[in-house]
């Protein structure tokens, strides 16, 4: 006869802090480094203003400056680009032996959800779509902050300021972006290759210590 007993209650459920400890600690590191960037950035910015004979700005004024907005957003831009590219390309491309790759012997195409309606289709690709949206938003914020920072210098040297869209045509915008993009692509390459040969016991990003180098874990 089928059993109608209630399932046993798990009395070993961990606390909220333990269950979310990775995101909590990562957010803590993010907040600490962001505040640190704002503090040292203020000193650097006021140093530049002093060299130009301008009055220093307060901490809260600095948080609204192009110098701070551009400095933060250009790094967010590259981080979201890295995640977007990695998540999307790992659907189609392989790296034999890497814990970050699907098995090269798996030739199955990603399942299509278009026949199940647009809601299901969007949800099926929601991770890439959200990461791409965050990347594009970061690009826009970068251009906004960068145009203010660039124009401040141009005006001081009696040259015309540039607008939001005009800043995309400057070498400064592309230098700021490409210097970060190349480092993010390097980090993807490093992670994909080093996880073939190296291990970190207990980490889900690593293959088991005794796993052979040629074996792809995902």
């Amino acid at each position: 006869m089928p059993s109608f007993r209630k399932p046993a209650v798990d009395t070993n459920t961990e606390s909220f802090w333990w269950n979310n400890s990775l995101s909590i600690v990562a957010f803590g590191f993010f907040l600490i480094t962001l505040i640190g960037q704002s503090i040292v950035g203020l000193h650097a910015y006021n140093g530049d203003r002093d060299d130009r004979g301008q009055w220093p700005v307060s901490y809260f004024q600095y948080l609204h400056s192009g110098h701070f907005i551009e400095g933060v957003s250009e790094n967010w831009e590259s981080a979201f680009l890295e995640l977007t590219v990695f998540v999307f390309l790992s659907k189609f491309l392989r790296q034999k032996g890497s814990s970050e790759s699907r098995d090269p012997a798996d030739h199955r195409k990603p399942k299509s959800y278009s026949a199940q309606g647009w809601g299901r289709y969007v949800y099926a690709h929601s991770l890439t779509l959200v990461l791409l949206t965050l990347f594009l938003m970061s690009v826009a914020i970068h251009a906004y902050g960068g145009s203010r920072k660039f124009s401040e210098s141009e005006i001081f040297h009696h040259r015309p300021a540039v607008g939001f869209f005009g800043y995309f045509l400057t070498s400064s915008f592309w230098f700021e972006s490409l210097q970060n993009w190349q480092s993010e692509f390097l980090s993807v390459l490093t992670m994909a290759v080093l996880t073939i040969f190296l291990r970190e016991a207990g980490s889900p990003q690593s293959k088991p210590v005794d796993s052979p180098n040629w074996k792809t874990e995902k």
Side-chain angles (χ1 to χ4, degrees), residues 128-201:
T128 298
L129 291 174
V130 169
L131 289 173
L132 178 61
T133 300
L134 291 172
F135 165 69
L136 295 176
M137 290 174 59
S138 298
V139 171
I141 298 172
H142 173 195
Y144 166 73
S147 63
R148 291 181 56 187
K149 175 184 174 183
F150 185 83
S151 294
E152 184 178 341
S153 177
E154 293 295 282
I155 293 173
F156 178 79
H157 292 95
H158 308 290
R159 294 190 290 261
V162 298
F164 176 83
F165 292 104
Y167 189 61
F168 283 104
L169 302 179
T170 66
S171 58
S172 293
F173 172 80
W174 291 105
F175 175 76
E176 291 161 358
S177 294
L178 293 175
Q179 70 171 334
N180 287 286
W181 294 3
Q182 55 85 16
S183 66
E184 301 301 338
F185 291 133
L186 177 62
S187 68
V188 171
L189 172 64
T190 301
M191 193 67 175
V193 174
L194 291 187
T195 56
I196 300 173
F197 311 102
L198 306 180
R199 309 286 189 270
E200 180 54 50

Side-chain angles (χ1 to χ4, degrees), residues 74-153:
E74 71 170 88
N75 287 283
W76 289 5
E77 168 191 316
S78 59
F80 289 130
L81 174 65
E82 174 194 2
L83 294 173
T84 304
V85 169
F86 196 32
V87 168
F88 184 75
L89 292 186
S90 60
K91 293 168 49 176
F92 308 103
L93 306 180
R94 307 287 188 271
Q95 176 55 58
K96 184 177 181 180
S98 175
S99 66
E100 299 299 320
S101 170
R102 292 168 57 190
D103 192 334
D106 182 3
H107 297 288
R108 293 174 299 173
K109 294 182 179 180
K111 182 179 178 180
S112 174
Y113 291 90
S114 56
Q116 300 183 26
W118 68 269
R120 182 66 171 173
Y121 178 83
V122 169
Y123 179 70
H125 302 282
S126 55
L127 179 58
T128 298
L129 291 174
V130 169
L131 289 173
L132 178 61
T133 300
L134 291 172
F135 165 69
L136 295 176
M137 290 174 59
S138 298
V139 171
I141 298 172
H142 173 195
Y144 166 73
S147 63
R148 291 181 56 187
K149 175 184 174 183
F150 185 83
S151 294
E152 184 178 341
S153 177

Side-chain angles (χ1 to χ4, degrees), residues 29-43:
F29 285 148
F30 160 74
L31 195 60
I32 291 170
T33 52
L34 180 63
I35 293 173
Q37 178 185 356
S38 68
I39 294 173
V40 298
L42 172 64
H43 287 281

